[in-house]
Amino acid sequence: MKLVSVAEMRAIEKEADSRGLTFAQMMENAGMGLAGVIMDALGDEGVQPLAGLVGPGNNGGDALVALAALAQMGWETRAYLVRPRPQDDPLLQRFLDAGGSVISAEDDADLEQLRELLSRSGVVLDGVLGTGAQLPLRPEVARVLAAVQEMQNDYAVVAVDCPSGMDCDTGEVAPETLRADLTVCMAAPKVGMLRFPAFDYLGQMDVVDIGLDANMPAWAAVQDGVVTAEDVQGVLPERRSDAHKGTFGTAMVAAGSMNYPGAALLAAKAAYRTGAGLVRVAVPGPLQAMLAGHLPEATWVLLPHEMGAIAQDAYDVIAKNLDRVTALLVGPGLGTEDPTAGFIKQMASGKPNHPARGAIGFSFGARTEDAKKEEPPHALPALVVDADGLKLLAKVPDWHKLIPAPAVLTPHPGEMAQMTGLNVDEIQADRVETARRFAREWGHVVVLKGALTVIASPEGHARLIPVASPALARAGTGDVLAGLIVGMRAQGVSAFDAACAGAWIHAQAGLSAASWLGSDASVLAGDVLDSIAEILQSLESGEE
């Protein structure tokens, strides 16, 4: 699903019109699509009285097309003209011919007719203002919307393209903006809708096709998008009946310390849950006895440690166990002790912790010369770096040039601040452009976690996860996400696709866990992990 700015959408519509898809036809397609979505969403509840708040522009035109179509299907539909439309408006006449009735705000000075209309309606269609709305709102529009707000608990609100009063570039909203239960976007959601506070006003979001040619240059040039179930279904590895564990790759998870033992377990389980054939868990030696009984399916690599934290020479052990490893996750629960920082530096350089030794029988001079030669760097597999791994990696000069590209980096805003030198407020002010900028500079995929997670590629593409839930605001959920991504990478999914799919599955699993527990506050990282199978089952069965 594409994500566009207001200016991009205008340019797309203008180009479409010049190529033969007229503005009138786009409006027809939008309105009929809107009517179809309303029928699908609310039709099971039976035909309901529907009030349409109609503005003077294209948004109002979309609403009138939908109202006429619903009237022809037996719905009781009435339009409230918030501002006048032309007297010879063919869309208004079509609505009247379909059996609809019209009230004008010009004839309703005390808004009593509006209040009576709302009291008799089960659904309100918000078609007052579109994506080009400017704040603050005109007084006459603000007055009507404020009156609708007063009674909003009594009916469902369906927004046409966007809730009226929203700046669809910045995400700002007017105080009078109606909170929608369902927002039906025309062709694509707009960038400001996936920013706060706007996102909280959308309710459920759907998109209707207005007839655009997918190959039209202005449309094809859009680089940003929203990850959907269909996108994830398209990258899930095939599960052939004649497969064996090698078919689905081997993930190694290098993680954990005595202070954070559970991080390795959560990440490793998530890698298995997403379909990896084998997971090797590389942890400080004392953790293996603590964790092995909780994950008997894993194989274990015991790393040297100092006081329960991974030691600098642990990379030698990692390197010797990379045979058949197709993806490596480093970082969850490592801690930031100096020995572990040395381990990360060794891993980034790909060099062992000791110089090569001369062979026995060589002359002293030959041995000395040979000892000066360093062993060649070890080739790392596809790499995912998370949590403390990111903090330590950022301290290594030119780290982004040392690790294999494209790695997947999964910072939350605080970690992103440490990696970039920006402060958290700067990062949060424009999450998409921040992720995009550094993905390009570093040459790696950046997953900027948080509400409305952003995934950016080195090529400049960005995708958003349209989920913001306190269910995921819990320690350990990031470890689950990192495990999902490395599990996908182990199976050969590309870095960008694995990041998008992993983040989407993770978000949906969080929503599912909150649903079956009945509370966002009660969700633990383990609950998110336990919900992964349900989300994958729905994807494999074609459900959304």
Side-chain angles (χ1 to χ4, degrees), residues 289-332:
M290 297 170 57
L291 302 177
H294 297 283
L295 191 58
E297 301 87 351
T299 61
W300 298 84
V301 177
L302 276 61
L303 301 179
H305 65 95
E306 294 187 24
M307 300 296 291
I310 292 177
Q312 178 169 329
D313 58 354
Y315 177 67
D316 293 353
V317 181
I318 294 283
K320 293 173 183 177
N321 286 275
L322 287 177
D323 58 299
R324 300 185 183 179
V325 170
T326 49
L328 170 63
L329 166 62
V330 178

Side-chain angles (χ1 to χ4, degrees), residues 336-367:
T336 56
E337 286 77 8
D338 289 343
T340 306
F343 158 69
I344 292 294
K345 185 175 181 180
Q346 294 288 342
M347 181 205 71
S349 67
K351 296 178 181 179
N353 196 44
H354 56 271
R357 294 182 174 86
I360 295 175
F362 278 36
S363 69
F364 180 81
R367 289 200 306 272

